[in-house]
Amino acid sequence: MTVAGQPTRRIRLSIDGRNFDQFVRADLAHDLSELSASFDLTCRDEFRAAQSWDYATPVDGTGPLDWGKRCEIFVDGELWLIGHVDEVMPEASNGQSFTVISGRDLTGDLVDCPPDPRGKHEYRDLTLTEFAEKLCKPFSIKVRAETDVLPTFDKMTVEAGETVLSAIAKYAKQRGVLVTTDRVGTLVITRSGQERAADDIAFPGNVTRSRGSFSARERFSDYFVKGQGEKNGGKRGKTPALDATAEPLDTAPTKPAPATDDPEDLPEGAGTLVMGHARDPEVTRWRPFIAMARTKATAFDAQRQAEWEMRTRRGKGDKEDYTYPGYSAAGALWKPNTLARVTDTYANIDRDMLLAGVRLTYGERGERTALRMTGPEAYDLLPENDRRAAKGSGKSAGKSSSAKGGKLDGTARPL
C-alpha cells in the first residue's frame, strides 16, 4: 500500500523504453459509455527540470515528455493499457514543477476519425465482425467477437463524415451486441455482463462511500421506432439463420393502438413504413418516445430496437457509485462489463448490478477505485434472461444469485 502524499509506484508508464513510476496523481478510467479507456498521470519531468534549474538532477538526453508517443501502462505489473499520449501539460513555479500526461488506448482513433476516405463506402454480404475488421485495419486495430453476430448484412454503408465507431455502432445495435475495448489494441464485440466482478459490493462493508440516483427523467411509457422498409416488389433480404436459442415469430409484431380512440388518431396505412413498439409497465402515465432506425429496417428490426430502447433506459435509470479502498479485490483488478451482487441497506438495493465503469485513482487520499454501477439491462442490446425480475432499484429489494467466477448463462429469452 502506498502512503498517501507520496508518489505511487504501483502504476508504471513506459514510453520508448523509458519508464516513469513515481506519480503524485493518477486517474485511469474505463467506462462502457465511452469506447476508449483513458488516463491522466501527473509526474515530475526530470528532463524539463534539468534544463530549467541548475540544482536539478542531471538526466540523459532522452528529451522531455511529448504528445503522440505510443505508451504502455501497467498496474501492479499487469498491462492495463496500450495507447498514445494525446496531451502533455507542463506546469512550473519557483520551487516546484510537474507535468500532466493524458491519453487513451489505441481505439481512441476510431472515436475521432472516419474510415479511410479513399476506401469503399458501401459493403455487401458481410458480418458485423468482417465490416469492423475492414474499417479498423488501416488503424492496425484488431477485432474480436465474443458473441454471435450472424446473419450477414445485405448492405452496409459508411456515411459522409461518419466516424469508424459510429459506422460500426449502428449495425451493432441491429445485431444486439456491445462494442467496447480490451484496452490493449483490440475492438471487442460482446454482450454485457457475461462474467462476475472481482468481488461483491456491500455498504456498509467493503466500500467506503455510496451515492445513488434512481431517476425516471429518461424513461417513458411507450417506445416507438419507425423505419423505412423495402419497397413492395423490391429486392428481398436474405432470410436470417436462427441460432440455437432463437424462436420463430408466428406473426409480425402487433401494431400498437393509438393513445386515444379519436378517429383522427388512427394510424396511417403501412406502405413501406415499419414500426416497433415496447412498453415500460413501471411508467404508468402516458409518456411516448419515438426514434428512427438509422438503417433500412424490417418490422423485426424495429421491434427489437424499441425493446432495446425500453430496457436500456430502464437500466440506466438506476445508478450507484461506490468507492473501494485499493485497486484489486480477491487478487484481481476491478474491470467493467462484469456483474456484482450489490447489498446496500441505505440505498435499499439487494441484487445483481452491472459494473459499467471503473476509475483507478491516486492522490492525497491514497489508492481508490470508483465503481459505477447501473441496472444490469443498461447495455443489454438483446434480452438476457429476466434481469429485471429482481427490482431492488431503490424502490424495493430483490434477490439474485451471488455466485462468483465463470461465465453466465447466455440464453436469450424474448420479453
Side-chain angles (χ1 to χ4, degrees), residues 222-238:
D222 292 75
Y223 295 80
F224 299 90
V225 173
K226 292 185 177 182
Q228 193 71 24
E230 194 73 65
K231 293 182 179 179
N232 293 334
K235 178 181 176 181
R236 294 181 179 274
K238 295 181 180 179

Side-chain angles (χ1 to χ4, degrees), residues 1-10 23 327 362 365-367:
M1 178 69 68
T2 304
V3 178
Q6 298 296 320
T8 179
R9 307 194 76 160
R10 295 182 64 182
F23 298 103
Y327 295 154
Y362 179 76
R365 298 182 181 180
E367 298 150 352

Side-chain angles (χ1 to χ4, degrees), residues 124-191:
R124 292 187 179 274
D125 296 323
L126 294 180
T127 65
L128 176 62
T129 305
E130 293 169 336
F131 179 65
E133 288 173 340
K134 289 184 179 295
L135 270 54
C136 293
K137 185 176 180 179
F139 300 89
S140 298
I141 293 174
K142 299 177 182 178
V143 177
R144 182 176 73 247
E146 297 180 341
T147 188
D148 182 25
V149 295
L150 294 175
T152 61
F153 288 91
D154 290 342
K155 178 178 162 183
M156 307 175 85
T157 59
V158 177
E159 300 173 9
E162 192 171 38
T163 65
V164 175
L165 174 60
S166 177
I168 295 173
K170 67 185 179 185
Y171 292 104
K173 182 182 292 188
Q174 286 196 29
R175 287 295 173 264
V177 293
L178 173 67
V179 179
T180 185
T181 176
D182 70 351
R183 301 193 303 269
V184 293
T186 301
L187 183 79
V188 180
I189 301 172
T190 186
R191 298 282 302 281

Side-chain angles (χ1 to χ4, degrees), residues 11-27:
I11 299 173
R12 175 166 60 89
L13 171 71
S14 178
I15 301 177
D16 294 335
R18 183 182 175 192
N19 291 320
F20 302 84
D21 61 356
Q22 295 191 54
F23 298 103
V24 294
R25 284 185 173 276
D27 189 325

Side-chain angles (χ1 to χ4, degrees), residues 51-208:
Q51 67 182 8
S52 301
W53 294 284
D54 293 337
Y55 57 80
T57 303
V59 295
D60 59 26
T62 55
L65 292 168
D66 203 356
W67 65 269
K69 297 285 188 179
R70 185 182 174 97
C71 64
E72 296 180 346
I73 295 177
F74 298 83
V75 179
D76 291 339
E78 178 180 333
L79 180 60
W80 195 84
L81 176 146
I82 298 176
H84 291 101
V85 177
D86 289 336
E87 189 173 15
V88 175
M89 295 166 281
E91 183 174 335
S93 61
N94 291 330
Q96 68 174 358
S97 62
F98 59 88
T99 298
V100 179
I101 312 157
S102 65
R104 295 166 294 172
D105 76 75
L106 296 176
T107 61
D109 290 337
L110 306 182
V111 178
D112 300 338
C113 304
D116 188 348
R118 302 162 299 180
K120 295 176 61 176
H121 296 280
E122 183 175 302
Y123 300 85
R124 292 187 179 274
D125 296 323
L126 294 180
T127 65
L128 176 62
T129 305
E130 293 169 336
F131 179 65
E133 288 173 340
K134 289 184 179 295
L135 270 54
C136 293
K137 185 176 180 179
F139 300 89
S140 298
I141 293 174
K142 299 177 182 178
V143 177
R144 182 176 73 247
E146 297 180 341
T147 188
D148 182 25
V149 295
L150 294 175
T152 61
F153 288 91
D154 290 342
K155 178 178 162 183
M156 307 175 85
T157 59
V158 177
E159 300 173 9
E162 192 171 38
T163 65
V164 175
L165 174 60
S166 177
I168 295 173
K170 67 185 179 185
Y171 292 104
K173 182 182 292 188
Q174 286 196 29
R175 287 295 173 264
V177 293
L178 173 67
V179 179
T180 185
T181 176
D182 70 351
R183 301 193 303 269
V184 293
T186 301
L187 183 79
V188 180
I189 301 172
T190 186
R191 298 282 302 281
S192 65
Q194 298 299 292
E195 298 181 7
R196 303 299 304 187
D199 199 0
D200 294 334
I201 295 172
F203 182 83
N206 62 346
V207 293
T208 59

Side-chain angles (χ1 to χ4, degrees), residues 304-343:
R304 183 160 60 177
Q305 186 175 336
E307 293 172 356
W308 171 81
E309 291 282 2
M310 183 273 293
R311 286 194 311 274
T312 57
R313 286 175 177 269
R314 186 171 64 180
K316 290 178 181 178
D318 298 343
K319 302 174 185 176
E320 195 75 21
D321 295 324
Y322 294 100
T323 300
Y324 181 86
Y327 295 154
S328 60
L333 296 174
W334 292 97
K335 66 178 184 178
N337 198 24
T338 54
L339 285 179
R341 175 63 175 266
V342 177
T343 305

